[in-house]
Amino acid sequence: MVEPMIKVRGLHKYFGPLHVIKGVDLDVMPSEVVVIIGPSGAGKSTFLRCLNFLEEPSAGTVEIDGVEIKAREPSREHRRHIQEIRQKAGMVFQQFNLFPHMTALGNIIEAPITVKKMPKEEAIAKAEELLEWVGLSDKRDEYPSRLSGGQQQRVAIARALAMEPKIMLFDEPTSALDPELIGEVVEVMERLAGEGMTMVVVTHEIHFARDVADRVILMDEGVWAETGPPDEFFTNPKEERTKQFLAHIL
Amino acid sequence: MRILCLLVAITAGLSLLYGVQYYAGGPLRLAVTSEVYDLALSPDGSLVAAGARDGKIHLWDITHDWMVHTLTGHTGPVSGVAFASSASTLFSAGYDGSIRLWDVSAALDASPTGSQAKRVIIASDRPLNDLALAANGSNLATIGEDGIVRVWDTKTGQVIQSIGPNESTKLAVALSPDGTLVAAGDGENIQIWDARTGEPFQRLEGYWEDEETKKDWMGHKKEVTALAFSPDGTYLASGSAEGTTLIWDVEKGKVAWKTRGHLATVSEVVFDASGKYLLSGGGDNMVRRWRVTGGKFAGIFKGHLGPVTSVAFGSDANTILSSGNDGSVRLWEAVNNQQLHLVWTKLGLMPIWGTVFAAWMLGSGLLGLLLTWGLWRVRTWGYLGALVLYIIGPLVTTVLPLLETTVYPITWGTRLSIGWPLVVSLIGYIVLVAYLRQDEVAITYQAPDATSLAEQLMAARRAQDVRHSLFIAATWVSIFILLFSALRRFGLDVAFMRKWLPFIMGGAGITMYVSAMAILLATVLALVGALGRLSKNPLANGISGFYVSLIRGTPLLVQIFIWFLALPQLGITLEAKTAGILALGVNYGAYMTEIFRAGIQAIGIGQYEAAQALGMSASQTFRRIVMPQAFRIVIPPIGNEFIAMMKDSALVSIITVQELTFRAQKIGRQNFRNLETFLIAAAFYWILTIVFQFFQGKLETYMARGERR
């Protein structure tokens, strides 16, 4: 029996009086690619951020690769677990959030050196490998401001991968990109999925969801509206809400 | 274009003509006034006689509203004048080697100009440098370039005694009141002879007061330039080129009292009738009054625009007369050092300006010819030359003589005769500026070749940029020259500045040390303070909030006093320098806290999230991600704080830290030369900030490397 890589139980999140996530469960198996879609304000990003505790969940448990954290139990242990989970879960942001004062290479080697205490030479060698993998070897010494949006997002992916995460969280990675730059980022994500990475992706890229995802989830008003394999989800949705949403975006 | 070239050519031609004419000694000798070389007051106190460079003796009748008469005859500058006891007879000596005797009362009755001498004695074929008349009027002594001291009988006009020649005896001569002794400078020593026999009587030489330790040199170190016997003949006062005045006991041959005040050559010394006071005039444009007994300073008279050449006590004890190289004779009130009256000799231009001016005119003429050619052939040349010629030139040459005319009484005719080349230059300048302001450079679009057009446009743009910066640079330079010249004109003493520069600059080290330490302290405090302000910990937040509020709410000056003067009351006594550093550091720390805080807050939440998502801890995030970015943001405002701090470090001078400002103030007050000393200090602060701004710019560029596009 293979244990799920991600196990979420009864997750709730409040922002003040606002109930954003209303008790959701999720199991993601190793190498599975889960795509969460949904209207804006549905709580997709918040859910994703709760997975690595950039947002502290209000209730429920999150377990990633065997590390389990219950919400709202601040303790030394709790904090250590958060650090552990963060190292296991790489995250890619909508706005890239590259460090502007560092070169592409500098961005990638920063965390391995400071967090993992990896020797600098090793970190550089690995970073160069990653840069080649995302197709940006020639941009090694460029500062982010001189890179296009697509190139920046690819560096951001390489930066996350440098920590050798077990899972990758993508928070609308293509939403801030010009249409012609989306392709290069999606291509990298597809290759990553092909190499067997466990991924949770919040996106509006229906093509990616249809072609790459193992499972598609529609999130609406803080709960899963519908879950299913992409073929079924897109061609034969069960729920009325899903039909409405798909009619909107397709 | 052709018209412009023509104009420039005309200007250049005129300038050249002007310059050549000056060097050829043409009619426009540039002297507004004729320098006065010696001054004498008649025994009854009614007449002032002044021997001038132009060979004339000016006679002013004090009792009749300073009515002026001139005595002409000398064919060279008049170096000495003296009234006989009868008051109607005046003796004069000049560079033409003659001694002349004038009947003053006849001269006053005759026409106001051009009275002739009653008697002319050709003493030497070389210039006579000084003339002395015995108080009883029996004899007269001269000293000249030939190094011979001659004693004359005033009645017969015959030489009684001729001593010398001696190469080092040239500048000053004095006769004792009874006419029995004659003294002359012999290099830095003084030789006294018996006036009748010519036998050496006494030699006054410098000596060490304390032979063993070689302390207190009693004597001159440079040549003697002025001599005078006291009314009773017991003392001899001497002044020398290094600025000291000594009062010798004639019998003993030793220095009785020593004075030090003038910063340049003492040109004349004179005792008053009672022998209690001594006057000296110096190359530092000052007249000083001394109490003979003890050699104590008793007054300073400031106003001459050039070296003081001669001084005299007035008919009563309350007035003093002086004359100078600026061509003026001034009457002063002895008690409160106020100037009572001022008269000028003939109008012309100052010779010193003449040199500068003529050199400029010659230079600009040559440059202008080059420029004419340059404008015709290659444009760049034209611009460069035009800038030099037409910005700096007219500013220096027009404005300065105009300033001059505000100081001297001068007619429009003279003004015009001085100013015509300048007016022409100025017109040329205006035309040129108007021309240069036509920014568009004509581009002939010949071939449909895009690259060539782009290149032409870029070249035009570059040329425009170069012109623009050249204009700015030229403006700066001309402002400097103008300021410096104007200050110079109003008596800025460069020699004094040079003398005290090392001492004042010695304070620069302390200024820099205090600033650097205070900056260091402020930075540390600001960093800690900013963290406190951003902290969620109420204690840290409260403390830093209190600190910022308290320090920003009280004047820096008060804080400095508290550190230095108030803390000792609590039993904490700080050294002045330490107190200064603490006061400045703590004060600027508070201001910089706010800057740091703003810088840190300017970093977006995304940066924190990205770092956290990578597993970085809070402190790692702060050190590696937030600080470097915040630092870049705060560099310009922090740089401004640093510059302000460097200047505010002057404030610690009030708590006796011997830094730049303190020293400038000290020397300035001691010598009544605040302008000079504070200019030095200001210049240093300025240079320091410019240098700092340069490095700040470099640092900013470096820190902004991620922002480069």
Side-chain angles (χ1 to χ4, degrees), chain B residues 179-232:
Chain B
T180 55
L181 296 175
V182 62
D186 182 5
E188 67 265 28
N189 303 313
I190 301 155
Q191 180 66 46
I192 307 176
W193 298 271
D194 187 304
R196 294 181 201 289
T197 63
E199 289 299 315
F201 172 78
Q202 179 68 280
R203 188 171 171 80
L204 308 177
E205 286 183 338
Y207 56 92
W208 293 107
E209 179 75 12
D210 188 335
E211 193 58 46
E212 295 194 348
T213 56
K214 301 276 182 230
K215 269 176 75 179
D216 286 334
W217 176 250
M218 291 296 183
H220 293 300
K221 288 176 180 163
K222 287 189 183 166
E223 68 269 25
V224 172
T225 50
L227 286 170
F229 275 99
S230 68
D232 58 3

Side-chain angles (χ1 to χ4, degrees), chain A:
Chain A
M1 170 78 199
V2 183
E3 279 293 311
M5 186 64 90
I6 303 172
K7 215 156 103 184
V8 178
R9 292 288 176 272
L11 191 81
H12 286 264
K13 177 65 185 173
Y14 289 85
F15 283 123
L18 207 65
H19 199 180
V20 184
I21 299 172
K22 298 166 181 168
V24 296
D25 301 336
L26 181 69
D27 284 330
V28 182
M29 302 312 278
S31 298
E32 192 182 2
V33 176
V34 174
V35 171
I36 303 173
I37 59 171
S40 54
K44 313 181 296 288
S45 283
T46 307
F47 173 75
L48 201 68
R49 290 154 65 88
C50 281
L51 293 185
N52 69 350
F53 282 76
L54 282 182
E55 300 286 356
E56 185 87 13
S58 307
T61 59
V62 175
E63 186 188 327
I64 291 176
D65 195 26
V67 180
E68 190 197 59
I69 308 177
K70 287 197 174 68
R72 305 196 53 77
E73 280 179 352
S75 69
R76 192 173 292 260
E77 190 81 336
H78 178 80
R79 232 173 300 149
R80 195 170 53 80
H81 283 159
I82 289 178
Q83 288 300 96
E84 259 176 69
I85 279 190
R86 282 177 180 169
Q87 290 187 37
K88 286 177 190 293
M91 185 151 183
V92 175
F93 299 88
Q94 182 180 354
Q95 296 295 342
F96 331 135
N97 292 348
L98 287 181
F99 305 132
H101 58 298
M102 295 174 180
T103 60
L105 187 84
N107 267 280
I108 298 170
I109 62 171
E110 180 62 27
I113 291 175
T114 54
V115 180
K116 281 195 159 175
K117 312 294 177 202
M118 190 186 280
K120 196 171 179 185
E121 296 73 36
E122 199 186 324
I124 290 176
K126 186 164 172 61
E128 279 169 346
E129 239 170 71
L130 282 166
L131 274 172
E132 206 191 326
W133 191 78
V134 296
L136 290 172
S137 288
D138 54 330
K139 303 290 179 189
R140 182 183 185 271
D141 297 320
E142 294 285 7
Y143 284 94
S145 59
R146 299 198 51 161
L147 298 177
S148 74
Q151 289 168 338
Q152 286 194 51
Q153 194 60 296
R154 283 189 278 157
V155 173
I157 293 169
R159 177 174 72 176
L161 291 174
M163 290 298 283
E164 296 172 332
K166 289 285 171 55
I167 62 167
M168 282 288 280
L169 308 174
F170 288 86
D171 185 4
E172 305 200 24
T174 55
S175 298
L177 294 176
D178 288 341
E180 83 268 22
L181 300 177
I182 292 173
E184 59 192 60
V185 175
V186 170
E187 190 264 333
V188 168
M189 288 165 68
E190 283 172 1
R191 268 200 284 141
L192 193 59
E195 290 188 7
M197 175 63 76
T198 311
M199 291 160 71
V200 180
V201 183
V202 171
T203 188
H204 295 296
E205 275 312 296
I206 300 304
H207 297 290
F208 178 81
R210 206 188 329 237
D211 301 343
V212 184
D214 295 315
R215 190 156 33 127
V216 181
I217 299 173
L218 176 73
M219 191 175 191
D220 191 32
E221 298 188 342
V223 291
W224 303 152
E226 181 170 352
T227 306
D231 295 343
E232 210 173 300
F233 185 92
F234 286 108
T235 53
N236 191 16
K238 294 190 194 76
E239 303 290 328
E240 196 54 33
R241 183 73 188 88
T242 314
K243 284 176 194 159
Q244 269 174 18
F245 180 74
L246 289 176
H248 246 340
I249 60 164
L250 287 175

Side-chain angles (χ1 to χ4, degrees), chain B residues 511-512 514-516 519 556 560 584 588 639-653 659-661 681-690 692-693:
Chain B
T511 291
M512 286 195 281
V514 169
S515 310
I519 282 165
L556 173 57
I560 292 174
L584 285 172
Y588 273 81
N640 289 342
E641 291 294 304
F642 283 6
I643 286 168
M645 154 100 75
M646 266 183 241
K647 290 177 290 169
D648 273 355
S649 73
L651 281 173
V652 303
S653 64
E659 45 72 84
L660 205 61
T661 311
F684 175 77
Y685 285 114
W686 196 11
I687 291 167
L688 202 65
T689 49
I690 287 172
F692 185 81
Q693 267 166 344

Side-chain angles (χ1 to χ4, degrees), chain B residues 14-147:
Chain B
L14 289 174
S15 301
L16 203 61
L17 198 71
Y18 192 85
V20 169
Q21 172 211 264
Y22 174 80
Y23 282 106
L28 258 171
R29 291 302 296 191
L30 301 157
V32 172
T33 58
S34 183
E35 298 170 37
V36 176
Y37 283 177
D38 198 16
L39 169 84
L41 182 70
S42 66
D44 61 359
S46 64
L47 290 173
V48 174
R53 181 193 155 102
D54 59 358
K56 289 178 182 149
I57 299 167
H58 300 254
L59 271 179
W60 283 281
D61 189 343
I62 298 180
T63 51
H64 289 94
D65 202 21
W66 292 78
M67 207 158 78
V68 67
H69 297 263
T70 44
L71 308 175
T72 51
H74 278 286
T75 52
V78 180
S79 54
V81 288
F83 275 100
S85 43
S86 65
S88 67
T89 308
L90 178 74
F91 295 97
S92 66
Y95 281 13
D96 57 359
S98 70
I99 302 171
R100 283 161 206 254
L101 191 147
W102 311 82
D103 184 343
V104 176
S105 43
L108 290 179
D109 293 338
S111 70
T113 52
S115 294
Q116 286 298 316
K118 205 164 79 177
R119 184 164 180 188
V120 181
I121 303 162
I122 304 302
S124 165
D125 54 354
R126 304 285 304 278
L128 295 177
N129 285 336
D130 197 12
L131 167 114
L133 184 68
N136 64 8
S138 61
N139 49 12
L140 183 78
T142 58
I143 179 86
E145 279 297 307
D146 54 10

